[in-house]
Amino acid sequence: MSPLDMLIFLFFILVTIKAASASIEYWRDADDESACAPKAQKPVTAASLSRTVRTGRPASVRVTPIKRVNTPVTASGTSCSNRPARQYHLKDKGAA
């Protein structure tokens, strides 16, 4: 290994150490600042449980299943372990 290679590796090691120490120092300062900041407390309100927690579903809401249109069908009935389960044509949307 030539001296130039060793200097390049030393440079990258020093830059990495400097970046790590700067990052640790930054987050330590941010943590100290957030610990010293006064925390705003939310006012406590007495609300009834029936209005805050909805346990039922309104009658106007219906759940509809997702309809699949034009799903590709595999040509063979056997599945090999090295081939994917579904085969998509390259002209289909999102294939490439």
Side-chain angles (χ1 to χ4, degrees), residues 49-70:
L49 184 62
S50 63
R51 289 185 175 225
T52 57
V53 178
R54 297 186 185 261
T55 57
R57 184 171 42 201
S60 62
V61 176
R62 290 181 16 195
V63 177
T64 56
I66 297 173
K67 295 179 182 178
R68 298 181 187 265
V69 180
N70 296 330

Side-chain angles (χ1 to χ4, degrees), residues 14-74:
L14 291 176
V15 167
T16 304
I17 292 172
K18 176 67 176 166
S21 65
S23 175
I24 291 170
E25 188 66 29
Y26 172 79
W27 288 110
R28 186 175 292 146
D29 290 343
D31 189 35
D32 291 342
E33 289 176 6
S34 66
C36 294
K39 298 188 187 229
Q41 294 180 351
K42 293 181 180 179
V44 177
T45 58
S48 66
L49 184 62
S50 63
R51 289 185 175 225
T52 57
V53 178
R54 297 186 185 261
T55 57
R57 184 171 42 201
S60 62
V61 176
R62 290 181 16 195
V63 177
T64 56
I66 297 173
K67 295 179 182 178
R68 298 181 187 265
V69 180
N70 296 330
T71 56
V73 178
T74 57

